Amino acid sequence: MDWSPAGVPGQNGRTALVTGGSGGLGLEVARLLAGRGAHVVLACRSTERGRAAAARIAGSTEVLPLDLASLDSVRRAADEVRHRHGRLDLLVNNAGVMFPSRPATDDGFESHFGVNHLGHFALTGLLLDLMHGVPGSRVVTVSSLAHRAGRGAPDASAARATSGHRSLHAYGRSKLANLMFARELERRLAAGGAETLSVAAHPGLSATALWQGEAPGWLRPVSRVALRLLAQPPERAAGPVLRAATDPLLRGGTYLGPGERFESRGAPAPAASSRVSRDTLAQVRLWELSETLTGVHYGLAPSRPAAGGPPAKAGG
């Protein structure tokens, strides 16, 4: 039987933080979680849009200023969460940029990589201790079908290669990093016996504001056709993220996406991923690079993958 949002269990007493919760997929995720009883922190770059989104949500919410393009902002946001809340049940790393006008973040990183990956890597590391010992706690990281366009594991040179910031390759590299991070985080959490799980999801194709950036010329007609034929509305596209956030039967390390039409739409199901995304040694290298670039150290024992790492099972 297909999973549907109607099957989401009650979230009473739980606190969830959703990055990019002011619109698109993030708003849909926040809306459902709050509707099931969770207190939802909308972490948004624009507090004005965050407040407008909160007004549209029936349930308990608050707005948190967060600019993932600034590690200083990430640290301030994490400090604010720690001041307001003694625990965190759910962290949804959803916000992202695609073909942004700014080539680099405040810290000099290529914008896709800096916002989509490094900002979330730092935020997760700064908040993770609020999830330790919390039953059912979970980190959900949103990747993309475009992770296959990443062309190899991200490295230090790619992190600062701002000249190609409007390419599909740069976006895909950041979403590949998201998926690799989610898997390495799960391995380290499991090795330490933590209750917190790390899972990942992608929404397939949805005509959200993410597509309003300055896409390469060759991609614009392709994307228009693909979105017209295959896209689903945000409330449907949010399904894999919602299931990743709330399904009590999921194992750590699971990767979900839509189950129909080449994973572009449909009900949530185990998703496939590229070979490099399953390379456990590359995941370790990315983790170590991310700690160096952000200055955020998790304190989790390194995982010990076999050379090359075993290929992940479907959904794992």
Side-chain angles (χ1 to χ4, degrees), residues 15 30 33 66 71 78 94 101 112 124 148-149 179 206 219 221 235 243 252 270-271 292:
T15 297
L33 292 173
L66 171 65
L71 291 176
N94 160 80
S101 57
H112 292 103
T124 304
R148 295 179 180 275
L179 184 50
S206 183
L219 183 60
E235 59 269 22
R243 183 177 181 185
T292 298

Side-chain angles (χ1 to χ4, degrees), residues 58 74 79 81 95 97 103 116 120 128 159 170-171 179 247-248 307:
V74 171
D79 287 344
V81 173
V97 295
N116 298 351
H120 281 125
L128 196 59
Y171 176 70
L179 184 50
D247 186 342

Side-chain angles (χ1 to χ4, degrees), residues 71 75 109 114 117-123 287-298:
L71 291 176
R75 291 186 174 91
F109 304 118
H117 170 61
L118 291 177
H120 281 125
F121 180 91
L123 181 68
W287 183 282
E288 293 172 346
L289 173 65
S290 301
E291 288 195 329
T292 298
L293 295 177
T294 63
V296 176
H297 298 270
Y298 280 56

Side-chain angles (χ1 to χ4, degrees), residues 90-117:
L90 176 63
L91 173 60
V92 182
N93 291 323
N94 160 80
V97 295
M98 187 177 185
F99 314 132
S101 57
R102 291 176 58 190
T105 68
D106 290 358
D107 305 284
F109 304 118
E110 187 277 316
S111 286
H112 292 103
F113 191 75
V115 171
N116 298 351
H117 170 61

